[in-house]
Amino acid sequence: MKIAVLVFPGSNCDHDAYHAIKHVLAADAQFVWHKEGSLDGFDGVVIPGGFTYGDYLRTGALAKLSPVMGAVRRFADSGGPVIGICNGFQILLESGLLPGAMIVNESLKFICDYVTLRTETARTPFTRSIPEGTRLRIPVAHYQGNYFADDETIRRIEGNGQVVFRYCDAGGNVTPEANPNGSIGSIAGICNEKGNVLGMMPHPERCTEPEMGSADGRRLFESMLSHIKENAR
Amino acid sequence: MKDVVVTPEVAKEHGLTADEYARIQATLGRDPNITELGIFSVMWSEHCSYKSSRIHLRKFPTKGPRVLQGPGENAGIVDIGDNLAVCFKMESHNHPSFIEPYQGAATGVGGILRDVFTMGARPIASLNSLRFGRPEHPRTPFLVEGVVSGIAGYGNCIGVPTVGGEVFFDECYDGNILVNAFTLGVVRHDRIFRGYASGVGNPIIYVGSKTGRDGIHGATMASGEFDEKSEEKRPTVQVGDPFTEKLLLEACLELMKTDCVEGIQDMGAAGLTSSTFEMASRAGTGFIMNLDQVPQRETDMTPYELLLSESQERMIIVARRGREQEVLDIFEKWDLDAAVIGEVTPDGIARLLMNGVTVAEVPIAAVTDEAPIYDRPAERPAWQDDLNRLDLSALPAPSDLSESWLALMSCPEMADKKWVYRQYDYMIRTNTLVAPGSDAAVLRIKGTRKAVAISSDCNPRYCYLDPFVGGMLAVCEGARNVACSGAEPIGLSDCLNFGNPERPEIMWQFRSAIEGISKACEALAIPVVSGNVSLYNETMGKGIYPTPTVATVGLLEDADDRLVSWFRAEGDRVFLLGGDRVDVELGGSLYLKEVHGRVAGVPPAADLDHEKRLCAFIKAAASKRLLASAHDLAEGGLACALAESCITRPDGPIGAVVSNPFPESVRPDFALFSENQGRVLVSCGPANVAALLEAASEHQLHISQLGTVGGDAIVIADIARLNVAETHKAWCEGFANALGFGE
């Protein structure tokens, strides 16, 4: 089993994702440079956070043109698990692998803080061992994490059960106060129709060890690894 | 530009005095041309030459068993064992940040990051120490917004966490804010690189961003006072590109894994000029440089402009001969410019060519080693005596002490700085064990059991009232802050911010502060390994308070020994270390300033021997796991420290009931807010009380049991009482309220 951690110019959470998978979960992780055209031999893909190309254009708008994104599309089409975190989520949106777009946080400021998420579905490879309704403490760190889509798209993804995480308060209630960035429907993460591609603004790779303030992020990676193991059988 | 005839007037416009210009003429045996004049003017600017400060900086203790690199390089390096070391430095970006807060602060962060990774270290954390004018000054909110978002914009993008620092407000900074940035990196002993242009015939390679016309004469700008025309200096501020710096960082660290590099240095102030001259000066070599080969982003740039540009995100590498292509290939992979622009020569002369024509030829030593050094007159000003006069008995006692206490907790100096640090990515790289809000930030060193604690400190009021004592206390507070995190202080970097050194009272402040820092560092065995001087922090002749900021680095052999400053559990016992220090010390206190509107008196006394035992004791108690928390008593004395330990608790605020350590004869407001130094509030579980008392007695340290954690009120004997929830709310909202930021 081998997990690809993509590296674009300006990726900066690549080391953290690698550390979480390789050292905390003791699975095989490898960095894959964005100019690679193939993901053959990999069983899962992480698109880490960062500021690819400095985010000087729209976030993710240039990264989607990298050769590796063609390989990501083929990997996703064949049902392989793909998770895009923060800037990785933004890249998945720009690539059209997930619907919607990101706009600047309602506060117009970068936000780095712990938030609470409510798990809305266990249907993805990343949440299969996290029962619906489970609350997770996970940090956010972004400037453009305000999820936006037209009404039609929102109706569709809600109807299809594509909303995977919502921001909530400590008691699990989805409230405007618990929404850090103004995202429609307090959406923190969504998946594609098939469920194998997940994009989320919060950073599970930052909280896989208790000394980091929470180990809840570990559960997403454990889910992914157990999914891969099961499908390999 | 090349047609400009150099006259004494032109030299004066370049910030050179008549004597300095005469010295240049004598050294060269002729008049310099305009390009040469440009070189001398930036290299002899205060910012680059340290001409007013150098003789005083020699007083710092810079050696120690752990020191691998002291001052004089891009950053200092201190051994942390297991073939690892930490590399760090603090630097100012005051003038640019006042003119253009976002870019000024952003490029300050970029510059200090380069200083660290140019030594081969991977940056793992940054701090910043910020001083602004009065919150109600019309320009302050704009400057705060700009500086904070500039730091966030750069640090977050490059992916180095900003884990702490200081934010301070005072009228003296109304016209001259301070932005001091600190970065710490980790480096293997065998991968340390230095800025040497060694090896005759070795190629000089330019890497990074292209050169433009931005920031020309930034170093000269930073070496003068501000006046009403400062706005016009905006074009001298550089523009930062953190994305390019991220590429530069990765490319440099990748290159350093090869053995192609002889020496490397970033292009900071005075850009191409200072980097090449300094590298050749250290190695005792010369160089020849073809300026037309420098990658350029604007057309028709003159030699003068190419040499003085402060375009950001650029480095100079001296590679081993024959290995050029390997260097160029790595930078090409990262889509960065790289070009061979010259080579090292043996004769100690800098020869600069443009399209084959010599445009400047100067001896390197004349520009560097032989730069002017001034022993400027220093004199204690007559007004210092008036300043030091303070009759406490004439101070009216507040009618409601609890109200005063609450007012201090919500004043912007004391209030929660979450508005600031929430904009910084303080968790990236997953090393942050103690996030902003405790006495020091603590970061683990992956692959080891170790961690480092870092803190930046200076109380400018103390330094204003007595720069010598203020300097000592800055070091003591830094040491205490890292000790309160469970660490042993192992090194320090300073950033000395002062007014115009040509005024004797400023020079006296400067000299005294350095002597104070040196004395404390010697007593506490903390070497000064790097630092920076920022003078001329004046606008319209009004100087800032002397502000020698120190950044202290501490080491924890075991990261699990770390401590936080907040109370942990109901029922834990509260103790005061150093509580026998009961002479009222309110000179320069927060209470005096915020409640009585005065900055006067003499600062609290420093007892260096006591501080040393105090730090050793806390570290020992932490490694025995006796303590639940430790918090240094600083601004606002016992009352504010106690309230902070109650309300900063991440699991939710909690109360405490404690007794008054002062004799009953002491006025209650003085007992609450007196800022006696060398005091630390600690807590421990009931089971550890006996062991803690025994350990304190072994260390000959005074310890007194003050009370217990718990309840919904913060109570000091029958003197004052605050409601926990109310205090927490006032503290959380104080900062944004004072600056009018709202939500």
Side-chain angles (χ1 to χ4, degrees), chain B residues 128-146:
Chain B
N128 50 74
S129 172
L130 310 178
R131 319 265 171 193
F132 298 102
R134 287 164 292 152
E136 59 274 19
H137 187 280
R139 209 170 139 82
T140 300
F142 160 77
L143 290 168
V144 172
E145 291 246 22

Side-chain angles (χ1 to χ4, degrees), chain A residues 1-6 17-18 21 27-32 41-46 81 83 221 224-225 228:
Chain A
M1 186 176 10
K2 211 162 67 176
I3 311 297
V5 176
L6 306 191
Y18 181 89
I21 296 166
D28 190 10
Q30 265 182 34
F31 291 120
V32 175
F42 288 99
D43 304 291
V45 174
V46 180
I83 178 171
F221 294 106
M224 173 178 72
L225 297 175
I228 293 169

Side-chain angles (χ1 to χ4, degrees), chain B residues 352-415:
Chain B
L352 304 165
L353 281 73
M354 187 83 169
N355 301 315
V357 178
T358 301
V359 292
E361 186 169 318
V362 289
I364 295 195
V367 174
T368 55
D369 302 345
E370 291 156 27
I373 291 183
Y374 296 130
D375 186 0
R376 297 192 186 276
E379 195 184 340
R380 184 174 186 271
W383 45 261
Q384 198 76 26
D385 285 336
D386 291 336
L387 200 59
N388 289 149
R389 219 164 281 136
L390 173 66
D391 178 8
L392 285 178
S393 63
L395 217 56
S399 54
D400 184 342
L401 267 185
S402 302
E403 199 178 281
S404 301
W405 189 5
L406 192 64
L408 291 189
M409 292 312 296
S410 59
C411 80
E413 187 178 329
M414 183 63 63

Side-chain angles (χ1 to χ4, degrees), chain A residues 7-16 19 23-24 33-35 50-56 107 109-114 139-141 180 203 205-207 209 211-212, chain B residues 122 145 152-153 155-160 240-244 246-247 250 332-335 418-419 421-433 444 446 562 743:
Chain A
V7 182
F8 295 86
S11 294
N12 63 21
C13 300
D14 45 346
H15 288 92
D16 298 349
H19 171 76
H23 300 128
V24 181
W33 184 236
H34 74 117
K35 287 178 183 166
F51 288 70
T52 48
Y53 298 96
D55 283 355
Y56 296 141
S107 65
K109 292 195 161 40
F110 190 97
I111 298 170
C112 177
D113 211 344
Y114 259 94
V140 292
H203 288 271
E205 83 285 7
R206 292 192 183 185
C207 54
E209 302 160 274
E211 59 265 43
M212 290 293 109
Chain B
R122 159 79 69 180
E145 291 246 22
N156 298 352
C157 179
I158 197 166
V160 175
D241 176 0
F243 169 63
T244 298
K246 168 71 172 164
L247 303 183
E250 298 301 338
E332 195 191 332
K333 173 192 161 185
W334 290 95
D335 297 325
K418 194 165 184 176
W419 185 93
Y421 70 73
R422 199 171 186 240
Q423 297 184 52
Y424 302 151
D425 191 338
Y426 54 85
M427 317 172 183
I428 192 163
R429 299 201 72 79
T430 61
N431 296 318
T432 312
L433 296 173
R444 66 178 175 185
K446 284 202 187 96
R562 67 187 178 276
E743 183 17 35

Side-chain angles (χ1 to χ4, degrees), chain B residues 14 18 33 38 243 309 395 400 482 556 571 619 667 678 727 743:
Chain B
H14 278 70
N33 65 32
F243 169 63
S309 163
L395 217 56
D400 184 342
V482 302
L556 291 105
K619 184 181 168 267
R667 236 170 82 168
T727 311
E743 183 17 35

